[in-house]
Amino acid sequence: MPKGKRYAKRTRRRPAWVGVLALLVVAAAGILRYLGVDWNTLLPAGAGAPAASQTAPEGTLQVYYFDVGQADSELICLPTGEHILIDAGTSSTQEELVRQLRSLGAETLDLVVATHPHADHIGGMAAVLEALTVEQIVMPVTSDSSTPTTQTYEALLDAIGEEGLTVTPAQAGEEIWNGGGASLQVLAPNAQSYGDLNDYSVVLRLAYGADSFLFTGDAEETSEEEMLSRGYTLNATVLKCGHHGSETSTSQPFLDAVRPQYAVISCGVDNDYGHPDQVTLDRLEAAGAEVFRTDLQGTIVAFTEGSGVTMTALGKGVEAG
Ligand SMILES: [Zn+2]
């Protein structure tokens, strides 16, 4: 199957009225400017630029690990104002996620990465694509037999088509972002085909000054072994533990290579899977990593100016922004 066709379930053109509406909005904004009217005063409170308290100090990069229950969603806010979203939780938290993204000033997402097509990672992504402006979307290439036929995945492909986006296939070893002083490299998947959809997870390493962040999706031991054998730089100040802290991820050899100062586990309160596994928590403790958990502490935020990361837990039920 040719590249690009793989994800193109149905491609619909943007309806003509969308273009007309956009022109009208641009024209109205121009007239208001001509009349000396401040466009922002016409917006409802909170709909304009984020409040000063929500704006990162200059030179500061922030990473939000959202409390989205037994699911994953992380937002990188670059010091130059761009935003990168990794996963979007389930459909049950999608409205809340969109609200939080807006309150953080992420009306435009410069890059969205769907680590793998499981509902706890892409369930809220169609809603995000519809509500916000997305510039680019990256996904793993799954083998024909592994490609899901779930409604959630089909809805995401529909939304991608409706927004006129083309999926960029994740290629291990490639840099998919360089800007704002930050670089984002794809470290996995490294094989064409896996028995478990989790191992297709796009793994990303974000480097900013002396600090780095590893985002692992639900990658398990198989993928971890491949990343080790490829010889990638894996060390990271903050590790988002694979597969919600399951014992099938964050293996000892992988942890030895990552050597995280902080570990974040994204999982739901009293979840049915028993995540995080005690084995994983013990390994992290022995490695000297300080563990942060969304099920116990709500959304977790990491701040860095490139020379040391500060971690903050916002608390349960507290929205970011
Ligand atoms: Zn998951």
Side-chain angles (χ1 to χ4, degrees):
M1 191 184 286
K3 252 185 205 175
K5 281 257 168 148
R6 186 173 291 277
Y7 310 100
K9 180 174 157 274
R10 246 173 282 161
T11 308
R12 288 186 210 135
R13 290 193 66 79
R14 210 179 279 267
W17 62 265
V18 173
V20 173
L21 192 63
L23 277 176
L24 284 173
V25 170
V26 170
I31 292 164
L32 288 167
R33 220 172 9 250
Y34 178 73
L35 294 172
V37 176
D38 180 0
W39 178 247
N40 284 314
T41 60
L42 301 175
L43 295 171
S53 63
Q54 295 158 9
T55 308
E58 209 175 314
T60 301
L61 179 143
Q62 299 175 339
V63 180
Y64 287 81
Y65 301 84
F66 292 115
D67 179 12
V68 283
Q70 181 64 17
D72 252 31
S73 181
E74 296 97 38
L75 178 73
I76 301 165
C77 304
L78 292 161
T80 38
E82 294 92 347
H83 297 94
I84 298 170
L85 183 72
I86 303 166
D87 288 336
T90 64
S91 57
S92 64
T93 54
Q94 62 189 24
E95 281 91 12
E96 198 182 318
L97 179 66
V98 167
R99 196 163 55 242
Q100 295 202 36
L101 291 171
R102 284 204 165 114
S103 75
L104 290 167
E107 199 65 48
T108 295
L109 296 166
D110 300 85
L111 176 63
V112 170
V113 180
T115 62
H116 66 298
H118 269 157
D120 56 325
H121 297 254
I122 61 157
M125 201 165 274
V128 166
L129 260 60
E130 282 155 20
L132 307 174
T133 303
V134 173
E135 301 290 353
Q136 198 194 346
I137 183 160
V138 171
M139 287 167 67
V141 179
T142 48
S143 71
D144 286 342
S145 59
S146 301
T147 302
T149 54
T150 58
Q151 265 189 350
T152 308
Y153 187 55
E154 303 272 300
L156 174 57
L157 294 183
D158 282 347
I160 289 168
E162 279 162 19
E163 299 305 315
L165 287 163
T166 307
V167 175
T168 304
Q171 303 278 5
E174 277 188 8
E175 186 182 54
I176 53 169
W177 180 270
N178 192 321
S183 154
L184 194 61
Q185 197 194 3
V186 178
L187 305 182
N190 287 284
Q192 308 288 322
S193 157
Y194 294 97
D196 190 326
L197 201 55
N198 285 342
D199 280 321
Y200 285 98
S201 287
V202 178
V203 176
L204 299 164
R205 185 175 181 275
L206 172 73
Y208 185 68
D211 296 319
S212 47
F213 298 78
L214 208 56
F215 303 93
T216 54
D218 280 354
E220 301 193 89
E221 221 171 334
T222 304
S223 175
E224 291 178 354
E225 280 170 12
E226 286 171 353
M227 285 185 269
L228 286 165
S229 68
R230 287 286 179 114
Y232 292 129
T233 300
L234 294 172
N235 83 287
T237 322
V238 185
L239 166 68
K240 198 292 296 175
C241 293
H243 198 197
H244 319 282
S246 157
E247 64 175 326
T248 50
S249 299
T250 322
S251 62
Q252 194 60 52
F254 189 70
L255 196 50
D256 290 344
V258 178
R259 287 176 285 114
Q261 187 178 349
Y262 303 108
V264 178
I265 295 173
S266 187
C267 63
V269 179
D270 294 331
N271 63 77
D272 296 340
Y273 308 93
H275 293 159
D277 273 300
Q278 192 57 45
V279 178
T280 309
L281 294 173
D282 291 345
R283 271 187 223 134
L284 289 166
E285 193 189 351
E290 187 179 346
V291 176
F292 288 82
R293 291 170 55 170
T294 60
D295 60 332
L296 302 179
Q297 298 164 287
T299 293
I300 312 291
V301 193
F303 298 83
T304 168
E305 289 178 353
S307 56
V309 174
T310 304
M311 302 290 286
T312 310
L314 296 186
K316 291 301 282 183
V318 178
E319 289 196 7

